[in-house]
Amino acid sequence: MKILLTGAAGLLGGEVAGRLVDRGHHVTALINRNRAVRRNDGRLVEGVTLLDGDLGRESLGWNEAMWQAVAGGHELIVHCAAVTQFDAAAAVHRAINVDGTARVLALARAGGMKFLHVSTAYVCGTRDGPVAEDPRDERYPFANGYEASKAQAEALVRASGIAAAVARPSVVVGGWSSGAIRSFDTIYAAFRLIATGRVRVIPAHPHATIDFVPIDHVTAGLCDLAERIDEAAGRTYHLVSGGPVPVELLRDVIASVPHLVAPTLVDPARFDISALPRSERRLHARVTGLYANYFQRDPRFDDGNARAFIGRACPPTDAAFLRRLIDFAGAAGLVPSGPSRARVRAAP
């Protein structure tokens, strides 16, 4: 197929580009400031056509002739582009994640293209228990502006009338067999502060879980959906682990690594940020606090649609997998890989 891929320079987009090229598809990579389209292992993707475009501008910054040429020259849009920072301004989330999606949908409509939209499983908001592969339950509020903007984008896709599928990855981390990841974004920033002992106390419910999903499971699933978009259209697919990691297990695995510091988990009702040392208060407010809600809920994402369509489940995201993620982070210099004097503290 002739596929237009947005967000091609990003973590997911670069790996998706490489996999689609490997499968014989013609990929046009929509890029903006970053012109390098790389696989998760850092290799540049060869064989893609680079195309400048800006989701924050009307008509993506193109003139009418360019708009019509791109619209008529592709069969499918795989829409990976998004601002994923939780602390981005609401106007930024709106401009790229919502209005940008509307612009890409308009392009798809102009060219009669099909559409694969990459969302997030956490559009479910602050809820626990089973989460179906359906439009979200409006009773639950969002934890941050990113989740809200992705839910709004999903609504635009469903209302567009375009033949579209929605893919919802959970928290994307390194590859399953190696733990490798090209860039340490989002939750890795919080992990670094926690594992190095700069943030020692985390407000967390004892039964909370985080759904870590390997990047290779997500990107392979996205490519399967793209290749069979005619069959996939009209449904939502959770690209998730199927076995979320208990926060207490994450703490215990960190504790098992001698040179890292396991956090103290405190019931959120008893968490008092004013009692923390000044430096930790600052880091909690700037970084770890952005992810605090993910340590306080237990969503269980149903991935029945995805399993039935793709024909495989995610491999186990167990303690051994977490250790591979941590070992890669140490080898890459994100966290120390040598002895440390730090020790696990008892819960207050």
Side-chain angles (χ1 to χ4, degrees):
M1 287 189 293
K2 295 179 179 179
I3 299 171
L4 176 65
L5 172 66
T6 74
L11 179 66
L12 283 182
E15 181 64 17
V16 168
R19 287 175 179 264
L20 288 173
V21 169
D22 288 348
R23 296 186 185 198
H25 300 291
H26 301 280
V27 177
T28 299
L30 190 70
I31 56 174
N32 192 1
R33 291 182 293 273
N34 186 354
R35 304 187 63 82
V37 179
R38 297 184 181 274
R39 300 289 297 259
N40 187 48
D41 62 9
R43 290 177 296 147
L44 284 170
V45 179
E46 298 181 357
V48 297
T49 301
L50 301 182
L51 175 64
D52 288 299
D54 186 347
L55 268 67
R57 298 176 60 189
E58 289 301 321
S59 301
L60 306 182
W62 303 332
N63 60 27
E64 181 64 20
M66 175 65 77
W67 177 271
Q68 294 299 333
V70 175
H74 299 86
E75 302 161 71
L76 168 69
I77 294 178
V78 179
H79 184 39
C80 288
V83 173
T84 59
Q85 290 80 9
F86 292 170
D87 59 344
V92 174
H93 281 143
R94 177 79 196 182
I96 303 302
N97 296 357
V98 183
D99 295 343
T101 297
R103 294 180 181 110
V104 180
L105 284 167
L107 180 67
R109 188 178 296 106
M113 288 182 273
K114 296 177 175 64
F115 201 87
L116 175 56
H117 179 68
V118 182
S119 185
T120 172
Y122 285 90
V123 295
C124 65
T126 55
R127 64 171 299 181
D128 297 331
V131 180
E133 293 165 297
D134 292 323
R136 69 179 303 271
D137 189 327
E138 300 292 338
R139 293 176 298 170
Y140 297 93
F142 299 107
N144 51 62
Y146 168 69
E147 293 178 358
S149 67
K150 295 300 282 184
Q152 292 174 58
E154 279 195 19
L156 291 176
V157 173
R158 291 193 177 89
S160 68
I162 294 169
V166 174
R168 289 177 178 163
S170 50
V171 179
V172 179
V173 291
W176 186 80
S177 62
S178 65
I181 194 163
R182 177 166 59 86
S183 58
F184 294 113
D185 298 328
T186 59
I187 202 164
Y188 277 95
F191 166 70
R192 180 180 188 180
L193 294 176
I194 293 167
T196 56
R198 298 175 68 190
V199 171
R200 291 174 173 259
V201 180
I202 300 294
H205 287 302
H207 302 297
T209 62
I210 304 178
D211 197 287
F212 294 124
V213 63
I215 187 172
D216 37 355
H217 179 67
V218 173
T219 52
L222 289 173
C223 291
D224 291 340
L225 292 168
E227 286 190 319
R228 297 163 56 199
I229 190 63
D230 287 335
E231 300 171 59
R235 291 185 178 176
T236 298
Y237 303 85
H238 278 157
L239 298 178
V240 298
S241 72
V245 173
V247 171
E248 291 184 340
L249 174 62
L250 177 61
R251 177 204 57 197
D252 292 346
V253 173
I254 295 173
S256 73
V257 183
H259 47 275
L260 299 184
V261 184
T264 297
L265 305 180
V266 177
D267 188 294
R270 296 168 52 203
F271 178 71
D272 181 6
I273 192 172
S274 66
L276 302 178
R278 180 180 300 176
S279 61
E280 189 168 347
R281 287 202 305 270
R282 184 178 69 252
L283 291 171
H284 183 82
R286 289 176 48 200
V287 182
T288 55
L290 299 174
Y291 301 91
N293 189 271
Y294 288 73
F295 293 84
Q296 297 171 25
R297 46 182 159 162
D298 181 27
R300 301 293 174 130
F301 300 111
D302 174 34
D303 62 346
N305 286 350
R307 289 185 187 223
F309 188 90
I310 296 169
R312 62 183 177 275
C314 180
T317 53
D318 51 14
F321 171 65
L322 296 178
R323 184 59 188 261
R324 291 193 293 274
L325 296 177
I326 291 172
D327 287 347
F328 180 83
L334 181 73
V335 295
S337 56
S340 170
R341 294 189 299 272
R343 301 181 63 183
V344 181
R345 298 194 307 172

